[in-house]
Amino acid sequence: MGMRFDILTLFPNMFSSPLRESVLGRAIENGLVQIRTINIRDFTSDKHHVVDDTPYGGGQGMVMKVEPIAAAIEWVKSQDPSAWVVCLTPQGKQFNQGTALTLSSRSHLILLCGRYEGVDERVRELFADEEISIGDYVLTGGELAAMVVIDAVSRLLPGVLGSERSAEEDSFFNSLLEYPQYTRPFNFRGSCVPEVLLSGNHSAISLWRRRKALERTSVKRPDLLAKAKLSEGDKKLLEEIVNSRDDCGLRNVDGRVGSSTKFQAPNSK
């Protein structure tokens, strides 16, 4: 039995196409992932299926009511009490690869997609196990955030990508950006594939890829290096990368010119 996602939403049709495509679609077909969209309106008790109301104390907009959300969560939990409730909200902790990895260890997630001006605070107080935000920007609702979480978590599940190495080599998996990738043709408008990748020397290729991942991360996301688990060999490579920069700056892996900065390995004195 695959990992299960229950999505509580007012707009279940938003998930129809994304859940049929690419890696995620195949994972669902193969039973590695199970996804169910649950319309919160189905858990209202009035004939008009009202799911929102004006906020106490006044203010703009509408707030999602606690009763239908509570009823939906309790209905899912009656089938599996261990289901983990995630509220997708700007107030949540920032979603990252570490969060995705932690969530992938669970067997059943309930993803609550907020709308309007948000949800009644009692949903968080009484039902939420975790609150997650996918970034510091405003979306119309939590549905797109739910898709991001489902995709990021699902690709970490055994068998979804077909190779465990694929996920391990993704950017951010080890707090490093991914090394540059190339395919045919060898020469495109004068820009050629690095010769080492055609050498057949797997040791040299691995070393080149590691060096490029470290170089790219140090240039584009130096903040990630503080979180990375670096070996002594990695630290030596980083020292070499920094020392190779001259006073005029290093042409970075993306073609831009960056200034030289002294690298200090995490936890080094």
Side-chain angles (χ1 to χ4, degrees):
M1 181 177 179
M3 183 171 183
R4 178 166 218 156
F5 296 89
D6 277 316
I7 308 164
L8 307 188
T9 175
L10 298 179
F11 300 95
N13 290 338
M14 287 184 66
F15 295 88
S16 298
S17 178
L19 299 183
R20 291 200 301 262
E21 304 294 338
S22 188
V23 171
L24 194 53
R26 291 194 299 271
I28 294 172
E29 288 180 6
N30 294 331
L32 301 173
V33 175
Q34 299 180 41
I35 299 180
R36 180 170 57 176
T37 54
I38 298 170
N39 194 330
I40 298 171
R41 295 186 190 278
D42 293 339
F43 293 85
T44 55
S45 56
D46 65 293
K47 66 178 182 179
H48 297 295
H49 302 292
V50 176
V51 294
D52 60 328
D53 207 338
T54 55
Y56 277 118
Q60 298 295 317
M62 305 290 279
V63 176
M64 291 181 68
K65 295 164 61 70
V66 63
E67 298 102 324
I69 295 174
I73 292 173
E74 289 172 341
W75 179 73
V76 176
K77 286 246 183 190
S78 69
Q79 302 164 40
D80 179 8
S82 69
W84 187 257
V85 180
V86 177
C87 289
L88 299 158
T89 166
Q91 301 177 39
K93 69 179 182 182
Q94 193 91 357
F95 184 68
N96 57 30
Q97 190 70 11
T99 311
L101 189 60
T102 299
L103 291 177
S104 71
S105 67
R106 298 191 175 277
S107 61
H108 190 175
L109 298 179
I110 300 174
L111 304 179
L112 172 60
C113 304
R115 279 273 162 173
Y116 313 127
E117 293 302 309
V119 302
D120 189 297
E121 185 66 20
R122 289 165 290 188
V123 172
R124 296 187 180 93
E125 292 175 352
L126 301 176
F127 299 99
D129 294 308
E130 190 169 356
E131 297 177 63
I132 286 176
S133 167
I134 64 166
D136 295 336
Y137 43 84
V138 179
L139 296 174
T140 305
E143 284 76 13
L144 293 175
M147 294 177 200
V148 169
V149 170
I150 292 170
D151 190 274
V153 171
S154 295
R155 61 186 291 108
L156 297 174
L157 301 176
V160 169
L161 293 182
S163 169
E164 305 308 316
R165 293 289 297 170
S166 295
E168 291 175 5
E169 292 177 355
D170 282 344
S171 292
F172 303 111
F173 190 89
N174 294 307
S175 296
L176 294 177
L177 300 183
E178 190 177 15
Y179 50 79
Q181 296 275 22
Y182 298 88
T183 188
R184 294 179 178 86
F186 169 75
N187 186 331
F188 178 71
R189 298 178 182 177
S191 179
C192 296
V193 176
E195 292 285 352
V196 65
L197 298 180
L198 285 72
S199 68
N201 185 331
H202 297 296
S203 177
I205 291 171
S206 294
L207 180 61
W208 181 88
R209 285 176 168 171
R210 189 64 176 178
R211 182 185 180 96
K212 286 299 181 181
L214 291 164
E215 181 179 356
R216 176 169 279 183
T217 306
S218 70
V219 169
K220 295 185 174 183
R221 290 292 306 275
D223 56 298
L224 291 177
L225 291 176
K227 307 173 187 176
K229 295 180 180 179
L230 302 178
S231 66
E232 290 303 316
D234 291 334
K235 295 174 184 178
K236 183 178 179 181
L237 283 173
L238 276 169
E239 290 286 359
E240 292 175 0
I241 290 167
V242 173
N243 291 336
S244 69
R245 301 175 184 178
D246 56 32
D247 292 338
C248 295
L250 169 71
R251 184 164 296 277
N252 298 330
V253 289
D254 61 356
R256 295 179 294 111
V257 175
S259 60
S260 176
T261 56
K262 182 64 177 175
F263 167 73
Q264 184 176 17
N267 302 320
S268 63
K269 296 182 179 179

